[in-house]
Amino acid sequence: MHLLWVWTVLSAAYTVLTEGCPVGCKCNHPTQVFCMSRKNPSFPRTIPPSTISLYLFENGISSVEESSFSGLWDLQLLDLSHNNLSNLPGGVFKTLTNLLNLDLSSNQITEISAETFQGLSRLERLYLNENQIRSIHPDAFRGLENLLELKLTKNQLVVHPAFSLPHLLLLDLSYNAIPVVRPEIFHARNIESLRLAGLGLKEVPSDLLNELKNLHELDLSDNHLTKVPSGLRGLTKLNLAGNMEISQLQPDDFSGLSRLQDLDLSRMSLRTLPKGLFQFTPRLYGVSLAQNPFNCVCLLSWLTEWLRVSGAALHRSDETRCHFPPKNAGKILRNLQNSDFGCPIPTTVFVPTTLALTSTAAPPTSTNPRTTYTPIDTTTTIAPNNPTEEPAVPTQYDQLCPPQTCLNGGFCRLDPLGEVKCECPLGFYGMYCEMLSADFSEPPEMELQVLEKTSSSLKVDLQSYIQSKNDLPGLRLTVQNLSGLDNRPDTYQLPSTLPHYTLKGLNSNSTYRICLGSMRDISGETELCSEAQTMGESPTPSAHITQTKEGSLTLVLVPAVAAGILLLVVIVSAICYTRRRREKAQSCENAGPLELEGVKTGLVEKGELKKLSESPSGTERGWESEEPLMDSSRVGNNNETPTGRLPHSYF
């Protein structure tokens, strides 16, 4: 009897818990309803009045009405994301007076009216990202004084919405078309996280940042900024990634960011970073420098040491690689040693007391050491014998620029501070002469350079072509043998990160036409072509020595046979000449094939020579000895293998 009573109570409780759960939904808890992926355009009915959290995402719902939420007085979370909502009637949510979180992201909403969010006085989080919102009424957010987060990412806004939200902590306006952000429209001075990525901003007003005293996170990625905004204060996270117009940074750009912990400088146009750039950010524990065209010369060598000493994490280190010079191109920057940057080795140079002094003081009586920098494998010049001459003391950075640092024929040098300076030819400008002046519509004609030549290979320079192009998907290298019978071109697909490429398995003493172009350019209009000749291959000195016994016998018989034939020709000629004079008739008509007429019309003709070459007899095969004997171990054409052409090396 007791068990029956318990069973009755449990059954009644289960009935209460599951009563009113919509079809296709799951009500695991009396306060939570999950209606996921129902693919039903109608709003679900019979939602339990005790529901606190209602999840209706991916249901295909196309419209909602005020009656849809009737009786849901306790509702605090409403998720209507990933549906087909395009219009929100005014006051549709006004009965949800206790609602704290409203997610309307990933719908097709185009407009926010003044009455859309009427009655949501307790709302804290409003997500409207990834819609098609073009306009927002100035009074749309009136009454939402408790709002903490507002997300409007990826809409079609062209004007910044106006609002007065005193407690707002997060504002996300990213990836709209708002080219100008005005400080006066912000009435939310307590914002901690401001996201303005992908708006097309060319500058950020310093007044805007000065007003936001509580700002900790600032996202300005994927804009058109030309420099780091001024007035940055108190930030812990700064994102400047994707601002391709920024090619240089100044040492004091982050001077006001003593609390900065995370910095993103990826996908910019940075070729170098000034030493001391992070001296004002002692708390920096993570930095991203990926996808920048770094020039890994001595000027940048301080970075790897700073990463080691500071302990800061280099995010996406595999994507942080060198672009110049060619010897470091493609290498991971963090893995480079100080010597890899081409830095000079510090040495001590002793300057004798005979050096001329500019002051009137008496010269010292001892030799004073002076520390300077000299290039590797370069001897230091000691003081001259004549004390009146200027002493030859090495400069602090007396080293040559890495090869191909300057583009378009520019001349490279290092200034006294060790910084790279390019003297550009007429018509070009920029740090590396990479920019074309407006007065010159076309750059000077480039030539495809062949760096090394051997009898079977050609090393082709790719770096010059890569530097002159932007966004290369890949390279197309075409090779055509102009000296052989087969003039069909061969095409190779190469990555656009190689400084050079070696063509192997070529024929010796042959002229090749080499063309380099982009994989995207099918027409070949932007191809860079050149002709180069492989070196001739000299015979191996030991070729005649390392023959078999049969080959050696042939070498001995060839001169003897040739001499015998020549003697026989002379004798036959004499006999015929004598018969002609005596008989004055056709006494030589029956002469053998080795008589005078036969020799003249037989051996001299190509046909007879060919027969002699093809004859299996050892004597007649002696004519082949005029050509150098080939070593039996050699391969006639090393450009072919049983499976096709020999693989080519990238290096």
Side-chain angles (χ1 to χ4, degrees):
M1 190 69 177
H2 179 71
L3 293 176
L4 181 60
W5 179 81
V6 173
W7 174 255
T8 303
V9 172
L10 292 176
S11 299
Y14 179 80
T15 302
V16 172
L17 291 176
T18 58
E19 182 179 6
C21 191
V23 178
C25 300
K26 191 174 183 180
C27 302
N28 294 336
H29 192 278
T31 61
Q32 294 181 349
V33 177
F34 295 89
C35 302
M36 299 174 291
S37 304
R38 291 171 58 247
K39 303 301 181 183
N40 190 340
S42 61
F43 197 89
R45 299 178 180 271
T46 65
I47 298 176
S50 60
T51 302
I52 294 178
S53 301
L54 177 58
Y55 298 89
L56 297 172
F57 53 85
E58 294 184 357
N59 281 253
I61 299 174
S62 57
S63 63
V64 291
E65 300 176 357
E66 182 180 348
S67 59
S68 301
F69 309 104
S70 178
L72 300 179
W73 312 107
D74 298 329
L75 193 64
Q76 297 181 11
L77 185 149
L78 176 59
D79 188 347
L80 286 169
S81 63
H82 295 88
N83 283 290
N84 297 325
L85 296 175
S86 58
N87 182 40
L88 296 175
V92 65
F93 305 113
K94 67 180 181 180
T95 60
L96 304 178
T97 55
N98 290 314
L99 194 64
L100 301 178
N101 304 283
L102 177 58
D103 190 350
L104 296 169
S105 60
S106 300
N107 278 280
Q108 302 173 16
I109 302 171
T110 59
E111 182 182 3
I112 302 296
S113 66
E115 295 82 17
T116 301
F117 305 119
Q118 182 181 355
L120 300 180
S121 58
R122 297 187 60 187
L123 193 65
E124 296 180 351
R125 295 169 183 84
L126 176 59
Y127 301 155
L128 296 168
N129 41 298
E130 298 188 42
N131 277 278
Q132 301 175 16
I133 301 174
R134 299 184 181 89
S135 63
I136 297 178
H137 195 276
D139 296 329
F141 304 115
R142 177 171 294 182
L144 305 183
E145 296 183 355
N146 291 310
L147 198 64
L148 302 177
E149 297 182 10
L150 175 59
K151 295 183 179 180
L152 290 163
T153 315
K154 295 183 179 180
N155 279 283
Q156 300 178 15
L157 296 172
V158 295
V159 179
H160 189 293
F163 50 75
S164 178
L165 302 171
H167 297 97
L168 191 66
L169 300 179
L170 183 149
L171 175 61
D172 193 345
L173 296 171
S174 300
Y175 301 102
N176 283 276
I178 307 174
V180 178
V181 177
R182 304 184 183 279
E184 59 268 17
I185 63 177
F186 277 106
H187 297 282
R189 297 187 177 183
N190 290 318
I191 291 179
E192 295 182 352
S193 180
L194 178 61
R195 302 173 186 175
L196 304 176
L199 297 182
L201 299 176
K202 294 184 178 180
E203 62 177 353
V204 178
S206 58
D207 296 343
L208 170 64
L209 301 177
N210 291 333
E211 289 293 326
L212 303 177
K213 304 293 184 180
N214 202 36
L215 188 62
H216 297 321
E217 298 183 3
L218 178 60
D219 187 354
L220 296 172
S221 59
D222 297 326
N223 280 290
H224 301 295
L225 303 178
T226 57
K227 62 180 181 179
V228 178
S230 59
L232 298 177
R233 295 289 185 275
L235 295 179
T236 59
K237 185 176 182 179
L238 176 62
N239 189 349
L240 295 172
N243 285 278
M244 300 294 294
E245 285 79 3
I246 299 180
S247 58
Q248 292 183 347
L249 296 177
Q250 303 301 324
D252 58 347
D253 280 341
F254 309 119
S255 58
L257 301 177
S258 59
R259 294 190 294 174
L260 191 65
Q261 299 178 11
D262 191 272
L263 177 63
D264 194 340
L265 299 175
S266 59
R267 296 186 292 109
M268 300 171 70
S269 299
L270 301 175
R271 297 181 183 274
T272 188
L273 298 176
K275 188 175 182 179
L277 181 65
F278 304 126
Q279 61 180 329
F280 302 107
T281 57
R283 300 183 182 180
L284 192 63
Y285 68 83
V287 60
S288 180
L289 302 171
Q291 300 182 24
N292 277 286
F294 283 119
N295 189 0
C296 295
V297 295
C298 189
L299 193 63
L300 192 60
S301 61
W302 68 270
L303 180 60
T304 55
E305 180 66 14
W306 176 83
L307 289 171
R308 184 186 66 82
V309 174
S310 66
L314 181 62
H315 303 315
R316 300 164 62 189
S317 60
D318 288 346
E319 301 177 54
T320 308
R321 297 174 180 263
C322 300
H323 192 68
F324 300 113
K327 70 171 186 176
N328 290 334
K331 294 181 180 179
I332 297 177
L333 191 149
R334 185 163 193 168
N335 295 342
L336 296 184
Q337 302 297 323
N338 194 64
S339 58
D340 296 328
F341 288 92
C343 293
I345 299 177
T347 59
T348 300
V349 178
F350 292 92
V351 182
T353 58
T354 56
L355 293 178
L357 301 176
T358 57
S359 63
T360 57
T365 59
S366 61
T367 301
N368 299 323
R370 178 181 298 172
T371 300
T372 183
Y373 290 87
T374 58
I376 301 174
D377 298 332
T378 301
T379 58
T380 304
T381 305
I382 308 300
N385 295 327
N386 187 353
T388 61
E389 296 180 1
E390 186 70 19
V393 180
T395 59
Q396 185 177 7
Y397 283 91
D398 186 17
Q399 72 162 2
L400 299 176
C401 292
Q404 302 184 18
T405 298
C406 299
L407 309 180
N408 299 309
F411 175 75
C412 180
R413 62 181 179 84
L414 296 181
D415 64 9
L417 298 179
E419 296 186 3
V420 174
K421 299 294 183 182
C422 289
E423 297 179 2
C424 303
L426 185 63
F428 293 92
Y429 66 98
M431 184 174 182
Y432 299 95
C433 304
E434 73 277 10
M435 305 298 293
L436 179 66
S437 301
D439 298 336
F440 290 78
S441 58
E442 295 183 359
E445 184 178 356
M446 296 176 57
E447 294 183 358
L448 185 61
Q449 299 292 330
V450 177
L451 304 177
E452 295 180 5
K453 301 178 182 179
T454 67
S455 60
S456 61
S457 66
L458 295 173
K459 185 177 181 180
V460 183
D461 174 45
L462 308 180
Q463 192 69 34
S464 300
Y465 182 82
I466 295 173
Q467 294 172 358
S468 64
K469 305 295 180 181
N470 294 323
D471 299 330
L472 280 174
L475 299 175
R476 185 181 67 252
L477 186 64
T478 304
V479 185
Q480 183 180 11
N481 188 355
L482 303 181
S483 301
L485 298 177
D486 187 1
N487 294 330
R488 292 175 297 180
D490 294 329
T491 303
Y492 305 94
Q493 298 181 5
L494 309 176
S496 58
T497 56
L498 300 178
H500 49 75
Y501 184 79
T502 302
L503 292 165
K504 295 183 178 180
L506 306 181
N507 296 335
S508 61
N509 198 23
S510 300
T511 302
Y512 287 87
R513 178 174 175 81
I514 308 172
C515 292
L516 182 64
S518 171
M519 289 296 300
R520 187 179 293 146
D521 182 18
I522 303 178
S523 62
E525 295 181 356
T526 62
E527 280 190 343
L528 195 62
C529 296
S530 179
E531 292 185 6
Q533 186 174 7
T534 55
M535 300 177 63
E537 186 174 7
S538 59
T540 306
S542 60
H544 295 281
I545 300 175
T546 58
Q547 301 298 320
T548 61
K549 294 182 178 180
E550 181 181 352
S552 301
L553 181 60
T554 302
L555 291 176
V556 175
L557 290 178
V558 165
V561 173
I565 292 177
L566 182 59
L567 179 61
L568 184 59
V569 169
V570 173
I571 296 174
V572 173
S573 299
I575 295 174
C576 288
Y577 180 75
T578 304
R579 289 182 179 179
R580 282 183 179 179
R581 293 193 61 181
R582 290 180 179 180
E583 300 177 4
K584 294 182 181 181
Q586 296 180 356
S587 58
C588 294
E589 290 181 359
N590 297 323
L594 295 181
E595 294 182 359
L596 179 61
E597 295 295 333
V599 172
K600 185 176 182 180
T601 60
L603 290 178
V604 177
E605 291 182 359
K606 296 181 179 179
E608 293 297 331
L609 288 175
K610 183 177 181 182
K611 291 179 180 179
L612 289 172
S613 300
E614 296 175 353
S615 176
S617 63
T619 304
E620 294 175 336
R621 202 172 60 221
W623 291 99
E624 296 179 358
S625 64
E626 295 179 1
E627 298 296 332
L629 296 179
M630 301 295 291
D631 191 347
S632 59
S633 62
R634 293 189 52 180
V635 180
N637 182 5
N638 60 1
N639 198 34
E640 299 290 340
T641 63
T643 58
R645 293 193 174 273
L646 291 173
H648 291 265
S649 172
Y650 282 154
F651 305 99

